[in-house]
Amino acid sequence: MSKFPTSDLLNSLPASERDYLQDYLRQSAETMVAFSKHEACADMMAGIALTITSALEKDGKLLVAGNGGSAADAQHIAGEFTARLMYDRRPLAAIALTTDTSGLTAIGNDYGFDHVFSRQVLALGRKGDVFLGITTSGRSPNIVQALKAARSQNITTVVFTGDNCVELPDADFVLRVPSGWTPLIQQMHIAAAHIVCALVERALCPQTPDA
């Protein structure tokens, strides 16, 4: 049990910290509203979901990569596909390219950090797969190299980025969150990933009424 009465927790912070907390929540809510009303984002999520659904129907797979917080997001997204999101169903093929420390360090040591994902795409990716690169700036060198590798393998390419992306990455689908602040971009990336995964789940593993 907390040693503070819950009604006093906010007031225990200095005024500047209370203002920060409330301002963050306000900006987060405003970004979500803007994201929900952005027709281009909705169209992009629909297209991404349809593309991943088609790939998985044909025994393809989803490859996901990102750096830092986006690396954690890549693992989160792959986990939603291989485990479950909204309900029990069969596992769906997805691999996070951020988890193999031996492979990552070997590639980084021998070829440079810019190639830690591209080498894995070339090794694991096949025509008909989908590669999702997550980069809030839109210019992470190892994601750019992975996109090039994916295109060379006829793998459909998807990028999650934000409004601070000066030049859009060369990809088949680019989901651009209407925010330039990394924490809020990352929040919307996970919201988008949940939506996409749920749409794929519903298409490939529809729930049937209990007999």
Side-chain angles (χ1 to χ4, degrees):
M1 180 180 293
S2 172
K3 64 181 180 179
F4 297 108
T6 55
S7 60
D8 293 333
L9 290 177
L10 183 61
N11 289 330
S12 71
L13 293 174
S16 61
E17 302 306 307
R18 290 199 303 272
D19 290 345
Y20 176 82
L21 185 156
Q22 291 168 336
D23 185 58
Y24 189 109
L25 291 174
R26 177 188 57 78
Q27 291 189 61
S28 179
E30 289 175 352
T31 302
M32 179 60 81
V33 169
F35 185 61
S36 70
K37 294 180 178 179
H38 203 299
E39 289 188 6
C41 289
D43 284 344
M44 197 61 64
M45 285 186 285
I48 293 166
L50 289 168
T51 298
I52 294 173
T53 298
S54 177
L56 296 180
E57 280 180 324
K58 299 171 184 174
D59 293 325
K61 59 186 172 294
L62 174 65
L63 304 173
V64 197
N67 296 284
S70 297
D73 289 345
Q75 292 166 228
H76 181 164
I77 294 165
E80 302 290 21
F81 278 85
T82 58
R84 52 172 285 173
L85 181 61
M86 297 299 182
Y87 49 82
D88 188 40
R89 39 80 174 168
R90 66 180 175 87
L92 301 173
I95 302 172
L97 304 181
T98 56
T99 60
D100 181 356
T101 55
S102 296
L104 289 168
T105 53
I107 296 167
N109 186 62
D110 294 344
Y111 297 96
F113 192 68
D114 288 0
H115 299 281
V116 293
F117 300 135
S118 61
R119 296 282 297 185
Q120 293 186 77
V121 169
L122 292 173
L124 302 173
R126 298 291 182 269
K127 181 179 179 181
D129 290 344
V130 177
F131 171 73
L132 167 57
I134 311 170
T135 166
T136 60
S137 68
R139 55 180 181 274
S140 301
N142 51 19
I143 296 297
V144 172
Q145 291 300 321
L147 290 168
K148 292 178 181 177
R151 287 194 297 275
S152 76
Q153 301 291 93
N154 292 312
I155 294 170
T156 301
T157 51
V158 179
V159 171
F160 281 8
T161 189
D163 260 356
N164 55 356
C165 175
V166 177
E167 183 176 345
L168 291 181
D170 185 8
D172 297 304
F173 297 92
V174 178
L175 179 70
R176 191 173 189 179
V177 171
S179 174
W181 192 24
T182 296
L184 297 185
I185 296 170
Q186 290 175 327
Q187 285 180 222
M188 296 305 105
H189 283 173
I190 284 299
H194 280 163
I195 292 167
V196 168
C197 183
L199 291 173
V200 174
E201 187 175 67
R202 291 162 68 91
L204 292 178
C205 310
Q207 283 185 301
T208 55
D210 293 337

Tab-separated table of all heavy atoms in Angstrom, residues 143-204:
chain	number	residue	atom	x	y	z
A	143	ILE	N	18.159	1.241	-40.458
A	143	ILE	CA	16.826	1.003	-41.017
A	143	ILE	C	16.835	1.305	-42.514
A	143	ILE	O	16.243	0.565	-43.319
A	143	ILE	CB	15.761	1.854	-40.293
A	143	ILE	CG1	15.640	1.437	-38.826
A	143	ILE	CG2	14.410	1.742	-40.993
A	143	ILE	CD1	15.177	0.013	-38.597
A	144	VAL	N	17.505	2.372	-42.902
A	144	VAL	CA	17.625	2.710	-44.334
A	144	VAL	C	18.287	1.563	-45.090
A	144	VAL	O	17.834	1.171	-46.182
A	144	VAL	CB	18.409	4.021	-44.514
A	144	VAL	CG1	18.711	4.268	-45.988
A	144	VAL	CG2	17.635	5.198	-43.923
A	145	GLN	N	19.354	1.007	-44.526
A	145	GLN	CA	20.037	-0.117	-45.182
A	145	GLN	C	19.148	-1.355	-45.223
A	145	GLN	O	19.154	-2.097	-46.216
A	145	GLN	CB	21.349	-0.428	-44.449
A	145	GLN	CG	22.424	0.628	-44.585
A	145	GLN	CD	22.838	0.860	-46.026
A	145	GLN	OE1	22.940	-0.086	-46.813
A	145	GLN	NE2	23.059	2.110	-46.385
A	146	ALA	N	18.380	-1.568	-44.178
A	146	ALA	CA	17.476	-2.724	-44.160
A	146	ALA	C	16.384	-2.584	-45.221
A	146	ALA	O	15.986	-3.577	-45.844
A	146	ALA	CB	16.851	-2.882	-42.773
A	147	LEU	N	15.904	-1.356	-45.423
A	147	LEU	CA	14.902	-1.122	-46.464
A	147	LEU	C	15.480	-1.439	-47.843
A	147	LEU	O	14.804	-2.050	-48.688
A	147	LEU	CB	14.422	0.330	-46.419
A	147	LEU	CG	13.572	0.720	-45.210
A	147	LEU	CD1	13.408	2.235	-45.143
A	147	LEU	CD2	12.209	0.048	-45.271
A	148	LYS	N	16.716	-1.046	-48.068
A	148	LYS	CA	17.367	-1.347	-49.353
A	148	LYS	C	17.507	-2.857	-49.536
A	148	LYS	O	17.251	-3.392	-50.623
A	148	LYS	CB	18.744	-0.681	-49.417
A	148	LYS	CG	18.712	0.833	-49.482
A	148	LYS	CD	20.127	1.406	-49.495
A	148	LYS	CE	20.109	2.930	-49.543
A	148	LYS	NZ	21.485	3.499	-49.495
A	149	ALA	N	17.912	-3.535	-48.476
A	149	ALA	CA	18.057	-4.986	-48.552
A	149	ALA	C	16.716	-5.656	-48.827
A	149	ALA	O	16.625	-6.598	-49.628
A	149	ALA	CB	18.655	-5.520	-47.249
A	150	ALA	N	15.671	-5.169	-48.168
A	150	ALA	CA	14.336	-5.744	-48.368
A	150	ALA	C	13.876	-5.567	-49.815
A	150	ALA	O	13.351	-6.509	-50.426
A	150	ALA	CB	13.342	-5.099	-47.405
A	151	ARG	N	14.084	-4.379	-50.349
A	151	ARG	CA	13.668	-4.144	-51.752
A	151	ARG	C	14.421	-5.063	-52.705
A	151	ARG	O	13.864	-5.528	-53.705
A	151	ARG	CB	13.878	-2.669	-52.115
A	151	ARG	CG	12.865	-1.730	-51.463
A	151	ARG	CD	12.891	-0.359	-52.118
A	151	ARG	NE	14.186	0.295	-51.950
A	151	ARG	CZ	14.529	1.011	-50.873
A	151	ARG	NH1	13.681	1.159	-49.868
A	151	ARG	NH2	15.718	1.575	-50.794
A	152	SER	N	15.695	-5.330	-52.412
A	152	SER	CA	16.478	-6.207	-53.284
A	152	SER	C	15.965	-7.640	-53.263
A	152	SER	O	16.239	-8.411	-54.187
A	152	SER	CB	17.955	-6.180	-52.874
A	152	SER	OG	18.182	-6.940	-51.692
A	153	GLN	N	15.211	-7.989	-52.217
A	153	GLN	CA	14.648	-9.333	-52.078
A	153	GLN	C	13.166	-9.379	-52.443
A	153	GLN	O	12.505	-10.392	-52.207
A	153	GLN	CB	14.805	-9.817	-50.632
A	153	GLN	CG	16.234	-9.886	-50.126
A	153	GLN	CD	17.026	-10.977	-50.806
A	153	GLN	OE1	17.693	-10.733	-51.816
A	153	GLN	NE2	16.956	-12.173	-50.283
A	154	ASN	N	12.648	-8.293	-53.010
A	154	ASN	CA	11.220	-8.191	-53.334
A	154	ASN	C	10.338	-8.384	-52.111
A	154	ASN	O	9.295	-9.036	-52.154
A	154	ASN	CB	10.839	-9.210	-54.430
A	154	ASN	CG	11.468	-8.879	-55.769
A	154	ASN	OD1	11.417	-7.743	-56.218
A	154	ASN	ND2	12.081	-9.867	-56.392
A	155	ILE	N	10.782	-7.808	-50.999
A	155	ILE	CA	10.039	-7.812	-49.752
A	155	ILE	C	9.314	-6.478	-49.629
A	155	ILE	O	9.912	-5.419	-49.840
A	155	ILE	CB	10.991	-8.014	-48.558
A	155	ILE	CG1	11.618	-9.417	-48.625
A	155	ILE	CG2	10.289	-7.780	-47.233
A	155	ILE	CD1	12.750	-9.624	-47.635
A	156	THR	N	8.036	-6.514	-49.304
A	156	THR	CA	7.271	-5.276	-49.127
A	156	THR	C	7.823	-4.517	-47.924
A	156	THR	O	8.102	-5.099	-46.879
A	156	THR	CB	5.783	-5.586	-48.912
A	156	THR	OG1	5.295	-6.310	-50.041
A	156	THR	CG2	4.975	-4.299	-48.749
A	157	THR	N	7.965	-3.203	-48.073
A	157	THR	CA	8.584	-2.395	-47.029
A	157	THR	C	7.582	-1.425	-46.401
A	157	THR	O	6.782	-0.798	-47.083
A	157	THR	CB	9.770	-1.595	-47.595
A	157	THR	OG1	9.354	-0.876	-48.767
A	157	THR	CG2	10.923	-2.515	-47.955
A	158	VAL	N	7.667	-1.341	-45.065
A	158	VAL	CA	6.803	-0.463	-44.278
A	158	VAL	C	7.688	0.323	-43.317
A	158	VAL	O	8.626	-0.233	-42.735
A	158	VAL	CB	5.765	-1.269	-43.467
A	158	VAL	CG1	4.887	-0.336	-42.635
A	158	VAL	CG2	4.923	-2.152	-44.382
A	159	VAL	N	7.386	1.602	-43.131
A	159	VAL	CA	8.117	2.426	-42.174
A	159	VAL	C	7.121	3.127	-41.261
A	159	VAL	O	6.117	3.669	-41.722
A	159	VAL	CB	8.999	3.483	-42.872
A	159	VAL	CG1	9.586	4.462	-41.858
A	159	VAL	CG2	10.124	2.810	-43.644
A	160	PHE	N	7.406	3.098	-39.967
A	160	PHE	CA	6.708	3.926	-38.989
A	160	PHE	C	7.656	5.069	-38.628
A	160	PHE	O	8.784	4.823	-38.188
A	160	PHE	CB	6.398	3.137	-37.709
A	160	PHE	CG	5.204	2.225	-37.792
A	160	PHE	CD1	4.538	1.977	-38.982
A	160	PHE	CD2	4.752	1.587	-36.641
A	160	PHE	CE1	3.443	1.126	-39.033
A	160	PHE	CE2	3.657	0.736	-36.674
A	160	PHE	CZ	2.998	0.505	-37.873
A	161	THR	N	7.212	6.313	-38.795
A	161	THR	CA	8.059	7.459	-38.484
A	161	THR	C	7.200	8.588	-37.922
A	161	THR	O	6.068	8.366	-37.492
A	161	THR	CB	8.866	7.883	-39.732
A	161	THR	OG1	9.833	8.867	-39.368
A	161	THR	CG2	7.978	8.427	-40.836
A	162	GLY	N	7.759	9.822	-37.909
A	162	GLY	CA	7.036	10.956	-37.356
A	162	GLY	C	7.187	12.195	-38.214
A	162	GLY	O	7.841	12.165	-39.265
A	163	ASP	N	6.618	13.298	-37.753
A	163	ASP	CA	6.649	14.538	-38.518
A	163	ASP	C	8.014	15.201	-38.530
A	163	ASP	O	8.237	16.135	-39.302
A	163	ASP	CB	5.624	15.535	-37.946
A	163	ASP	CG	4.341	15.564	-38.763
A	163	ASP	OD1	4.280	14.867	-39.800
A	163	ASP	OD2	3.398	16.266	-38.375
A	164	ASN	N	8.940	14.754	-37.662
A	164	ASN	CA	10.279	15.319	-37.687
A	164	ASN	C	11.134	14.677	-38.769
A	164	ASN	O	12.315	14.978	-38.910
A	164	ASN	CB	10.964	15.173	-36.322
A	164	ASN	CG	10.983	13.728	-35.826
A	164	ASN	OD1	10.427	12.841	-36.455
A	164	ASN	ND2	11.628	13.519	-34.696
A	165	CYS	N	10.530	13.776	-39.546
A	165	CYS	CA	11.202	13.144	-40.679
A	165	CYS	C	11.244	14.135	-41.840
A	165	CYS	O	10.210	14.470	-42.426
A	165	CYS	CB	10.443	11.880	-41.081
A	165	CYS	SG	11.061	11.070	-42.541
A	166	VAL	N	12.437	14.639	-42.160
A	166	VAL	CA	12.583	15.672	-43.195
A	166	VAL	C	12.336	15.094	-44.575
A	166	VAL	O	11.626	15.670	-45.396
A	166	VAL	CB	13.989	16.306	-43.117
A	166	VAL	CG1	14.169	17.327	-44.238
A	166	VAL	CG2	14.215	16.962	-41.765
A	167	GLU	N	12.931	13.945	-44.850
A	167	GLU	CA	12.773	13.285	-46.148
A	167	GLU	C	12.184	11.903	-45.918
A	167	GLU	O	12.759	11.088	-45.193
A	167	GLU	CB	14.131	13.169	-46.854
A	167	GLU	CG	14.050	12.554	-48.240
A	167	GLU	CD	15.394	12.534	-48.947
A	167	GLU	OE1	16.311	13.241	-48.484
A	167	GLU	OE2	15.528	11.815	-49.939
A	168	LEU	N	11.029	11.633	-46.501
A	168	LEU	CA	10.366	10.350	-46.271
A	168	LEU	C	11.218	9.195	-46.781
A	168	LEU	O	11.792	9.269	-47.872
A	168	LEU	CB	9.003	10.326	-46.959
A	168	LEU	CG	7.923	11.236	-46.378
A	168	LEU	CD1	6.629	11.081	-47.167
A	168	LEU	CD2	7.669	10.927	-44.908
A	169	PRO	N	11.337	8.127	-46.003
A	169	PRO	CA	12.091	6.959	-46.444
A	169	PRO	C	11.466	6.342	-47.693
A	169	PRO	O	10.265	6.477	-47.935
A	169	PRO	CB	11.991	6.002	-45.247
A	169	PRO	CG	11.592	6.853	-44.086
A	169	PRO	CD	10.768	7.958	-44.658
A	170	ASP	N	12.292	5.673	-48.474
A	170	ASP	CA	11.828	4.997	-49.677
A	170	ASP	C	11.230	3.656	-49.272
A	170	ASP	O	11.947	2.690	-49.016
A	170	ASP	CB	13.004	4.799	-50.637
A	170	ASP	CG	12.570	4.205	-51.971
A	170	ASP	OD1	11.346	4.090	-52.203
A	170	ASP	OD2	13.453	3.854	-52.780
A	171	ALA	N	9.911	3.620	-49.144
A	171	ALA	CA	9.221	2.406	-48.707
A	171	ALA	C	7.856	2.337	-49.379
A	171	ALA	O	7.324	3.344	-49.861
A	171	ALA	CB	9.067	2.395	-47.186
A	172	ASP	N	7.279	1.137	-49.407
A	172	ASP	CA	5.959	0.967	-50.009
A	172	ASP	C	4.876	1.648	-49.181
A	172	ASP	O	3.919	2.189	-49.736
A	172	ASP	CB	5.643	-0.534	-50.136
A	172	ASP	CG	6.609	-1.247	-51.071
A	172	ASP	OD1	6.733	-0.816	-52.227
A	172	ASP	OD2	7.238	-2.223	-50.628
A	173	PHE	N	5.023	1.605	-47.860
A	173	PHE	CA	4.066	2.246	-46.956
A	173	PHE	C	4.838	3.047	-45.912
A	173	PHE	O	5.762	2.509	-45.290
A	173	PHE	CB	3.204	1.199	-46.226
A	173	PHE	CG	2.344	0.360	-47.125
A	173	PHE	CD1	2.807	-0.850	-47.623
A	173	PHE	CD2	1.061	0.772	-47.462
A	173	PHE	CE1	2.014	-1.632	-48.447
A	173	PHE	CE2	0.256	0.002	-48.283
A	173	PHE	CZ	0.734	-1.204	-48.780
A	174	VAL	N	4.466	4.303	-45.735
A	174	VAL	CA	5.093	5.142	-44.714
A	174	VAL	C	3.993	5.717	-43.827
A	174	VAL	O	3.170	6.522	-44.277
A	174	VAL	CB	5.922	6.292	-45.329
A	174	VAL	CG1	6.522	7.158	-44.219
A	174	VAL	CG2	7.025	5.734	-46.220
A	175	LEU	N	3.968	5.272	-42.577
A	175	LEU	CA	3.013	5.797	-41.596
A	175	LEU	C	3.718	6.918	-40.841
A	175	LEU	O	4.648	6.671	-40.076
A	175	LEU	CB	2.571	4.706	-40.626
A	175	LEU	CG	1.590	5.166	-39.540
A	175	LEU	CD1	0.232	5.478	-40.145
A	175	LEU	CD2	1.464	4.124	-38.448
A	176	ARG	N	3.242	8.146	-41.051
A	176	ARG	CA	3.897	9.323	-40.478
A	176	ARG	C	3.000	9.926	-39.402
A	176	ARG	O	1.976	10.539	-39.701
A	176	ARG	CB	4.171	10.344	-41.583
A	176	ARG	CG	5.067	11.493	-41.172
A	176	ARG	CD	5.400	12.348	-42.374
A	176	ARG	NE	6.419	13.334	-42.066
A	176	ARG	CZ	6.910	14.195	-42.958
A	176	ARG	NH1	6.474	14.168	-44.210
A	176	ARG	NH2	7.821	15.064	-42.602
A	177	VAL	N	3.389	9.736	-38.151
A	177	VAL	CA	2.610	10.237	-37.024
A	177	VAL	C	2.652	11.761	-36.994
A	177	VAL	O	3.714	12.360	-37.177
A	177	VAL	CB	3.174	9.673	-35.703
A	177	VAL	CG1	2.521	10.338	-34.501
A	177	VAL	CG2	2.992	8.164	-35.650
A	178	PRO	N	1.503	12.424	-36.782
A	178	PRO	CA	1.470	13.892	-36.769
A	178	PRO	C	2.020	14.484	-35.474
A	178	PRO	O	1.320	15.135	-34.708
A	178	PRO	CB	-0.015	14.209	-36.948
A	178	PRO	CG	-0.718	13.052	-36.340
A	178	PRO	CD	0.142	11.855	-36.645
A	179	SER	N	3.306	14.219	-35.222
A	179	SER	CA	4.003	14.793	-34.072
A	179	SER	C	5.491	14.791	-34.371
A	179	SER	O	5.986	13.914	-35.103
A	179	SER	CB	3.734	13.984	-32.798
A	179	SER	OG	4.522	14.474	-31.720
A	180	GLY	N	6.195	15.757	-33.815
A	180	GLY	CA	7.640	15.808	-33.972
A	180	GLY	C	8.380	15.439	-32.711
A	180	GLY	O	9.614	15.535	-32.665
A	181	TRP	N	7.663	15.018	-31.664
A	181	TRP	CA	8.277	14.717	-30.370
A	181	TRP	C	8.366	13.206	-30.214
A	181	TRP	O	7.354	12.501	-30.247
A	181	TRP	CB	7.442	15.335	-29.241
A	181	TRP	CG	8.123	15.338	-27.910
A	181	TRP	CD1	9.453	15.292	-27.667
A	181	TRP	CD2	7.475	15.369	-26.630
A	181	TRP	NE1	9.704	15.314	-26.319
A	181	TRP	CE2	8.510	15.355	-25.656
A	181	TRP	CE3	6.148	15.423	-26.217
A	181	TRP	CZ2	8.238	15.397	-24.293
A	181	TRP	CZ3	5.882	15.459	-24.857
A	181	TRP	CH2	6.919	15.450	-23.906
A	182	THR	N	9.586	12.705	-30.049
A	182	THR	CA	9.843	11.267	-30.045
A	182	THR	C	8.942	10.470	-29.102
A	182	THR	O	8.379	9.442	-29.511
A	182	THR	CB	11.325	10.985	-29.745
A	182	THR	OG1	12.122	11.540	-30.814
A	182	THR	CG2	11.605	9.502	-29.636
A	183	PRO	N	8.767	10.875	-27.823
A	183	PRO	CA	7.912	10.062	-26.937
A	183	PRO	C	6.492	9.895	-27.465
A	183	PRO	O	5.908	8.808	-27.365
A	183	PRO	CB	7.932	10.842	-25.611
A	183	PRO	CG	9.195	11.602	-25.634
A	183	PRO	CD	9.395	11.981	-27.061
A	184	LEU	N	5.934	10.967	-28.039
A	184	LEU	CA	4.567	10.876	-28.548
A	184	LEU	C	4.513	10.081	-29.855
A	184	LEU	O	3.544	9.356	-30.105
A	184	LEU	CB	3.981	12.272	-28.743
A	184	LEU	CG	3.838	13.113	-27.473
A	184	LEU	CD1	3.145	14.431	-27.776
A	184	LEU	CD2	3.075	12.349	-26.391
A	185	ILE	N	5.548	10.207	-30.670
A	185	ILE	CA	5.615	9.401	-31.889
A	185	ILE	C	5.608	7.919	-31.521
A	185	ILE	O	4.877	7.104	-32.109
A	185	ILE	CB	6.878	9.735	-32.711
A	185	ILE	CG1	6.843	11.184	-33.202
A	185	ILE	CG2	7.010	8.788	-33.905
A	185	ILE	CD1	8.154	11.653	-33.801
A	186	GLN	N	6.408	7.565	-30.514
A	186	GLN	CA	6.485	6.165	-30.097
A	186	GLN	C	5.152	5.664	-29.544
A	186	GLN	O	4.760	4.518	-29.795
A	186	GLN	CB	7.603	5.992	-29.071
A	186	GLN	CG	8.991	6.154	-29.681
A	186	GLN	CD	10.102	6.102	-28.645
A	186	GLN	OE1	9.934	6.523	-27.506
A	186	GLN	NE2	11.249	5.589	-29.046
A	187	GLN	N	4.451	6.520	-28.804
A	187	GLN	CA	3.132	6.126	-28.308
A	187	GLN	C	2.191	5.801	-29.470
A	187	GLN	O	1.460	4.802	-29.437
A	187	GLN	CB	2.518	7.252	-27.484
A	187	GLN	CG	3.109	7.436	-26.106
A	187	GLN	CD	2.455	8.578	-25.352
A	187	GLN	OE1	3.124	9.364	-24.685
A	187	GLN	NE2	1.147	8.692	-25.447
A	188	MET	N	2.208	6.637	-30.497
A	188	MET	CA	1.318	6.417	-31.628
A	188	MET	C	1.747	5.206	-32.442
A	188	MET	O	0.915	4.509	-33.034
A	188	MET	CB	1.268	7.670	-32.522
A	188	MET	CG	0.691	8.910	-31.853
A	188	MET	SD	-0.962	8.657	-31.150
A	188	MET	CE	-0.559	8.575	-29.397
A	189	HIS	N	3.061	4.929	-32.485
A	189	HIS	CA	3.525	3.739	-33.196
A	189	HIS	C	2.936	2.469	-32.585
A	189	HIS	O	2.509	1.563	-33.307
A	189	HIS	CB	5.054	3.673	-33.173
A	189	HIS	CG	5.712	4.611	-34.127
A	189	HIS	ND1	7.077	4.816	-34.168
A	189	HIS	CD2	5.187	5.425	-35.096
A	189	HIS	CE1	7.364	5.697	-35.110
A	189	HIS	NE2	6.241	6.077	-35.686
A	190	ILE	N	2.913	2.399	-31.260
A	190	ILE	CA	2.344	1.216	-30.620
A	190	ILE	C	0.835	1.164	-30.827
A	190	ILE	O	0.265	0.084	-31.057
A	190	ILE	CB	2.710	1.181	-29.129
A	190	ILE	CG1	4.174	0.740	-28.982
A	190	ILE	CG2	1.807	0.233	-28.353
A	190	ILE	CD1	4.461	-0.654	-29.535
A	191	ALA	N	0.167	2.316	-30.774
A	191	ALA	CA	-1.275	2.327	-31.058
A	191	ALA	C	-1.535	1.814	-32.469
A	191	ALA	O	-2.421	0.987	-32.698
A	191	ALA	CB	-1.839	3.736	-30.881
A	192	ALA	N	-0.735	2.294	-33.429
A	192	ALA	CA	-0.896	1.864	-34.824
A	192	ALA	C	-0.611	0.373	-34.966
A	192	ALA	O	-1.334	-0.344	-35.675
A	192	ALA	CB	0.034	2.666	-35.727
A	193	ALA	N	0.428	-0.099	-34.291
A	193	ALA	CA	0.774	-1.517	-34.375
A	193	ALA	C	-0.332	-2.389	-33.806
A	193	ALA	O	-0.655	-3.455	-34.354
A	193	ALA	CB	2.084	-1.779	-33.631
A	194	HIS	N	-0.939	-1.950	-32.699
A	194	HIS	CA	-2.047	-2.705	-32.127
A	194	HIS	C	-3.228	-2.755	-33.095
A	194	HIS	O	-3.887	-3.796	-33.244
A	194	HIS	CB	-2.481	-2.083	-30.802
A	194	HIS	CG	-1.608	-2.453	-29.650
A	194	HIS	ND1	-1.598	-1.764	-28.468
A	194	HIS	CD2	-0.701	-3.464	-29.494
A	194	HIS	CE1	-0.732	-2.324	-27.638
A	194	HIS	NE2	-0.178	-3.350	-28.240
A	195	ILE	N	-3.508	-1.639	-33.735
A	195	ILE	CA	-4.613	-1.604	-34.707
A	195	ILE	C	-4.329	-2.541	-35.867
A	195	ILE	O	-5.182	-3.348	-36.273
A	195	ILE	CB	-4.846	-0.167	-35.206
A	195	ILE	CG1	-5.405	0.709	-34.064
A	195	ILE	CG2	-5.792	-0.152	-36.405
A	195	ILE	CD1	-5.382	2.194	-34.366
A	196	VAL	N	-3.123	-2.451	-36.430
A	196	VAL	CA	-2.751	-3.295	-37.569
A	196	VAL	C	-2.815	-4.771	-37.180
A	196	VAL	O	-3.396	-5.598	-37.893
A	196	VAL	CB	-1.346	-2.925	-38.082
A	196	VAL	CG1	-0.830	-3.983	-39.058
A	196	VAL	CG2	-1.364	-1.554	-38.755
A	197	CYS	N	-2.226	-5.110	-36.032
A	197	CYS	CA	-2.237	-6.509	-35.590
A	197	CYS	C	-3.664	-7.007	-35.373
A	197	CYS	O	-4.006	-8.126	-35.767
A	197	CYS	CB	-1.419	-6.661	-34.311
A	197	CYS	SG	-1.298	-8.373	-33.734
A	198	ALA	N	-4.498	-6.174	-34.772
A	198	ALA	CA	-5.887	-6.572	-34.539
A	198	ALA	C	-6.625	-6.813	-35.851
A	198	ALA	O	-7.406	-7.771	-35.971
A	198	ALA	CB	-6.605	-5.505	-33.711
A	199	LEU	N	-6.386	-5.978	-36.848
A	199	LEU	CA	-7.034	-6.160	-38.150
A	199	LEU	C	-6.561	-7.443	-38.816
A	199	LEU	O	-7.361	-8.179	-39.420
A	199	LEU	CB	-6.742	-4.953	-39.052
A	199	LEU	CG	-7.404	-3.632	-38.645
A	199	LEU	CD1	-6.896	-2.489	-39.519
A	199	LEU	CD2	-8.922	-3.722	-38.739
A	200	VAL	N	-5.274	-7.731	-38.720
A	200	VAL	CA	-4.732	-8.967	-39.291
A	200	VAL	C	-5.313	-10.172	-38.554
A	200	VAL	O	-5.728	-11.164	-39.174
A	200	VAL	CB	-3.190	-8.975	-39.221
A	200	VAL	CG1	-2.639	-10.323	-39.687
A	200	VAL	CG2	-2.603	-7.844	-40.064
A	201	GLU	N	-5.334	-10.081	-37.232
A	201	GLU	CA	-5.885	-11.150	-36.394
A	201	GLU	C	-7.337	-11.451	-36.765
A	201	GLU	O	-7.743	-12.608	-36.922
A	201	GLU	CB	-5.771	-10.699	-34.934
A	201	GLU	CG	-6.119	-11.702	-33.884
A	201	GLU	CD	-5.834	-11.149	-32.495
A	201	GLU	OE1	-6.522	-10.179	-32.077
A	201	GLU	OE2	-4.935	-11.674	-31.822
A	202	ARG	N	-8.123	-10.382	-36.920
A	202	ARG	CA	-9.533	-10.559	-37.251
A	202	ARG	C	-9.728	-11.156	-38.636
A	202	ARG	O	-10.655	-11.941	-38.883
A	202	ARG	CB	-10.264	-9.215	-37.151
A	202	ARG	CG	-10.395	-8.688	-35.718
A	202	ARG	CD	-10.713	-7.201	-35.709
A	202	ARG	NE	-12.047	-6.929	-36.236
A	202	ARG	CZ	-13.152	-6.858	-35.506
A	202	ARG	NH1	-13.077	-7.042	-34.188
A	202	ARG	NH2	-14.313	-6.595	-36.056
A	203	ALA	N	-8.823	-10.793	-39.574
A	203	ALA	CA	-8.951	-11.302	-40.942
A	203	ALA	C	-8.533	-12.768	-41.048
A	203	ALA	O	-9.190	-13.565	-41.724
A	203	ALA	CB	-8.098	-10.453	-41.881
A	204	LEU	N	-7.439	-13.128	-40.381
A	204	LEU	CA	-6.895	-14.476	-40.533
A	204	LEU	C	-7.456	-15.475	-39.523
A	204	LEU	O	-7.492	-16.683	-39.805
A	204	LEU	CB	-5.365	-14.436	-40.394
A	204	LEU	CG	-4.602	-13.725	-41.504
A	204	LEU	CD1	-3.112	-13.727	-41.209
A	204	LEU	CD2	-4.885	-14.364	-42.867
